[in-house]
Amino acid sequence: MKEKGRKVIASNKKARHNYAILETYEAGVALVGTEVKSLREGKASLVDAYASIDDGEVWLRGLHVPEYGHGTWTNHAPRRTRKLLLHRREIDKLLGKTKESSLTLVPLSMYFSDGKVKVELALAKGKQDYDKRQDLARRDAEREVTRELGRRIKGMRG
């Protein structure tokens, strides 16, 4: 029985706070058997993960997939470097953009798509502290406006 749809395994909530997302890509991940079993249990952490391009290949570093509980001596190393699977033209495009400007490849989320593990990879630019504060202030203001509109519609004020 083949799985359908999209089941999120892990997401990197801090990435959208620390980086301005410019473009996103979907990449497959080359995994070993016990990693897939551990991911099916929903165990993974993208906290310190990032991607880099070495010798024309994209690698995911810092991703933590804990060892599979029922695994034997064939178990995987939790923080090993994993290869990301992208088309050649996408890799060339990413390579050009990361070399020309100070852009970073950050994984936003990891999920199962039709039974295969995928990573949503973002081409991102690091935010300064004042940018982060401005974003928080804007979000709070928008939340307050929607709250006020909700109150007016309900007839509590106005």
Side-chain angles (χ1 to χ4, degrees):
M1 172 104 180
K2 190 107 168 156
E3 288 181 40
K4 292 288 177 200
R6 184 171 163 159
K7 179 188 169 210
V8 176
I9 302 163
S11 61
N12 190 351
K13 293 182 178 87
K14 280 272 193 195
R16 294 191 190 276
H17 177 69
N18 293 333
Y19 297 94
I21 309 301
L22 304 176
E23 291 180 48
T24 59
Y25 297 88
E26 183 181 66
V29 188
L31 298 169
V32 296
T34 54
E35 287 175 318
V36 176
K37 289 181 179 193
S38 189
L39 290 173
R40 287 209 188 282
E41 292 177 349
K43 297 178 180 174
S45 174
L46 290 170
V47 175
D48 297 327
Y50 66 97
S52 63
I53 303 173
D54 301 325
D55 301 326
E57 294 180 338
V58 184
W59 298 91
L60 186 60
R61 301 174 191 283
L63 169 69
H64 185 265
V65 179
E67 288 187 351
Y68 181 57
H70 302 294
T72 58
W73 58 273
T74 59
N75 235 331
H76 62 277
R79 285 207 181 265
R80 76 178 187 89
T81 302
R82 293 160 179 92
K83 186 175 180 178
L84 293 180
L85 310 172
L86 288 155
H87 291 285
R88 170 61 44 206
R89 64 183 174 277
E90 288 178 320
I91 295 172
D92 292 341
K93 186 176 175 184
L94 288 173
L95 183 62
K97 288 189 176 184
T98 53
K99 289 278 188 237
E100 79 182 29
S101 54
S102 60
L103 298 178
T104 314
L105 291 172
V106 182
L108 297 178
S109 65
M110 187 174 222
Y111 52 91
F112 280 105
S113 177
D114 297 334
K116 294 187 174 37
V117 178
K118 303 285 183 180
V119 171
E120 185 180 15
L121 197 63
L123 192 61
K125 186 173 182 67
K127 282 186 190 176
Q128 301 295 327
D129 284 340
Y130 61 86
D131 290 334
K132 295 177 193 176
R133 283 193 294 272
Q134 284 176 342
D135 282 352
L136 286 172
R138 186 174 30 81
R139 202 172 314 129
D140 286 344
E142 288 172 0
R143 197 174 295 133
E144 190 57 42
V145 166
T146 55
R147 205 176 283 145
E148 186 63 33
L149 285 172
R151 287 187 190 125
R152 287 192 179 176
I153 289 171
K154 291 177 185 169
M156 294 174 86
R157 287 191 192 163

